[in-house]
Amino acid sequence: QVQLMESGGGSVQDGGSLRLSCKASARTFNMLTMGWVRQVAGKERERLASISFNGVNTHYADFVKGRFTISRDNAKNMVYLQMNNLKPEDTAVYYCAARFRGDAEYASWGQGTQVTVSS
């Protein structure tokens, strides 16, 4: 079981930036595909971005391309989400998630961190 802990959420104004961090407690971190997912209350979760075990490959949802950047530091068991040009519709709880290579679904989730963007 991989334990994940997010940090870095908060409140910003329209157009602002935030950097989310996720610490993973897993000796197998460098074998995991990591991702960020968000959820608005009452709505389904949205996958935002993912990064391969070695950081070489990244994927983004169309609605965050050019604004969000996912990265990882395997030496520190950390994954990050840099979010720029935030919009009010980005307001949600943001989750860090992990899955093993080849798995389609995320198996481990963090507790989530709230991001609020005001207009």
Side-chain angles (χ1 to χ4, degrees):
Q1 183 74 15
V2 179
Q3 296 201 351
L4 304 171
M5 177 66 72
E6 305 93 340
S7 61
S11 297
V12 295
Q13 291 195 324
D14 192 354
S17 297
L18 281 174
R19 188 194 194 207
L20 304 183
S21 299
C22 174
K23 175 73 173 179
S25 59
R27 285 183 285 183
T28 56
F29 180 74
N30 61 1
M31 297 174 62
L32 299 171
T33 295
M34 300 298 297
W36 289 93
V37 179
R38 72 185 183 191
Q39 187 169 27
V40 176
K43 296 187 177 182
E44 292 190 357
R45 285 179 173 175
E46 296 181 301
R47 290 191 177 196
L48 305 176
S50 64
I51 187 166
S52 61
F53 69 100
N54 56 6
V56 171
N57 296 308
T58 57
H59 297 278
Y60 296 93
D62 287 343
F63 54 86
V64 303
K65 280 181 181 176
R67 299 192 299 127
F68 292 8
T69 302
I70 190 170
S71 61
R72 67 189 295 161
D73 184 340
N74 283 354
K76 297 180 179 179
N77 278 24
M78 296 290 294
V79 63
Y80 307 97
L81 186 68
Q82 177 67 43
M83 305 186 293
N84 298 327
N85 192 21
L86 283 162
K87 306 173 184 180
E89 52 264 40
D90 293 318
T91 296
V93 177
Y94 284 67
Y95 297 90
C96 177
R99 66 180 192 262
F100 283 97
R101 279 184 283 168
D103 290 349
E105 299 298 323
Y106 289 109
S108 299
W109 298 83
Q111 296 288 332
T113 185
Q114 176 70 44
V115 171
T116 302
V117 185
S118 57
S119 57

